[in-house]
Amino acid sequence: MGAAMRRIQVGSALSAFGIGFTVPFLYVYVAEVRGLGAGAAGIVLAAFAMAALVVLPFTGRAIDRRGPLPVLVAASVVAAVGAVGLGVATVESAAIVAAAVLGAGTAVLQPALATMIVWCSAPETRTRSFATQFFLQNLGLGIGGLIGGQLVDESRPDSFLLLFSIEAVMFLVLAGIVLTVRMPHSPVLGESVPKDGAAGGGMRALLGHRAMVQLCVLGFVLFFACYGQFESGLSAYGVEAAGISASTLGIALAANTAMIVVAQFAVLKLVERRNRTRVIAAVGLIWTVAWLIAGYAGLGNGSQAMATAAFISTYALFGLGEAMLSPTVAPLVADLAPAGMVGSYNSAFALVKQLALAVGPAVGGPMGAALHGPYIVTFVLFSLAITVLALRLGKRLTPEQERPATAGSRVVMRSAPEPATAEA
């Protein structure tokens, strides 16, 4: 790993560490500490999510025209302003505006960081680079959440201001670190140009690239069926159907993170020399088993201890699947991108993820709380759909896109993206 990549990874991990300080406590902070109520807290969380949906459609074009570094620095500063704004907000309107600013800034960080990783890696090393980022980000989030939980005091609003201030500082540290990175020219993959008749650039070219459209559909199902259920439908199902306590939910989330941290690099060795789409298809089968185990936990036929163990196992299996996805999906997005459109492809996929994370809780929450059987059946089918969609996508990929570590690099040139290629 080169010096540039190491700095990017460190900055990414530190920003995740900062986010971990506040994300678990945002609802409690707005609703109880500031005394604004559950309704206001819901609006603040919605503003955070909606801001991401607003800015992401424009992010890719900015990255492709200006490069990922200035976009990342600007997003870091915006996110820092939003974090401080939330820390000092005492009225609902101020909290909503600050949350929107924070949501916009953090949303842009993801595709900008992904594009920097692409520019600083070769196709055969990209898989490991994205796996390392995912590992460090989860580690940062977990440690940040643990430390934040020790510092926070619901009776002292100043303790929350400290958390938001630490988060803001971490965003500025990210900006400072990436400013020291000497960016190479953008890699252009000759095999990644759409072969389905797409002409022109921008969104029209992306929508005409059938492999990328299929990957976006697959990505939506992935995020809807897993991440979109963690803190809504699955937790509601656990409490209402399986009798899981709030403290057990915390243990289940910890088991998820622990599985990712423990399994990431062991899994990486297994997936590096296998077809990416077959690995994704295997994730669908693993998650099918996870949902079936969750269904068992809610049946009530066994003891409460068995139900609890089954529920925790569900989250652990989700973590195993996440560890398998990190070295496959993100680098595949990059390898599908034609010349000068890496930022647009990364941003489009980030938008799909954000949509899934918005729709997932809205659909899964009520189902998990009240329709226990249909809820499990629905997401067993979604998990099986992941396997089917992944295998279908594999038919459209080249050997270099499926397994770059063994197929060899087809990088034909290196040049900065031309402004004309980013035209929408």
Side-chain angles (χ1 to χ4, degrees), residues 77-158:
V77 173
V78 169
V81 171
V84 173
L86 267 175
V88 299
T90 57
V91 297
E92 182 176 345
S93 58
I96 293 171
V97 171
V101 172
L102 178 59
T106 54
V108 175
L109 292 180
Q110 179 183 340
L113 279 167
T115 305
M116 288 189 76
I117 290 174
V118 172
W119 282 28
C120 293
S121 64
E124 59 269 20
T125 63
R126 199 165 292 147
T127 294
R128 186 167 292 271
S129 297
F130 276 103
T132 301
Q133 184 201 29
F134 185 74
F135 168 80
L136 292 175
Q137 282 187 332
N138 275 277
L139 193 61
L141 282 169
I143 295 174
L146 286 173
I147 297 176
Q150 301 303 310
L151 296 177
V152 74
D153 183 347
E154 292 183 29
S155 65
R156 292 177 50 244
D158 286 349

Side-chain angles (χ1 to χ4, degrees), residues 15 26 28 96 120 131 138 142 218 244 246 249 284 353 417 422:
S15 66
L26 186 55
V28 172
I96 293 171
C120 293
N138 275 277
L218 172 60
I244 302 300
L249 286 177
K353 177 180 179 179

Side-chain angles (χ1 to χ4, degrees), residues 50-98:
M50 288 303 297
L53 295 178
V54 170
V55 300
L56 281 171
F58 307 99
T59 299
R61 188 173 183 179
I63 292 173
D64 290 332
R65 286 193 165 195
R66 304 293 182 183
L69 197 152
V71 174
L72 180 59
V73 171
S76 298
V77 173
V78 169
V81 171
V84 173
L86 267 175
V88 299
T90 57
V91 297
E92 182 176 345
S93 58
I96 293 171
V97 171

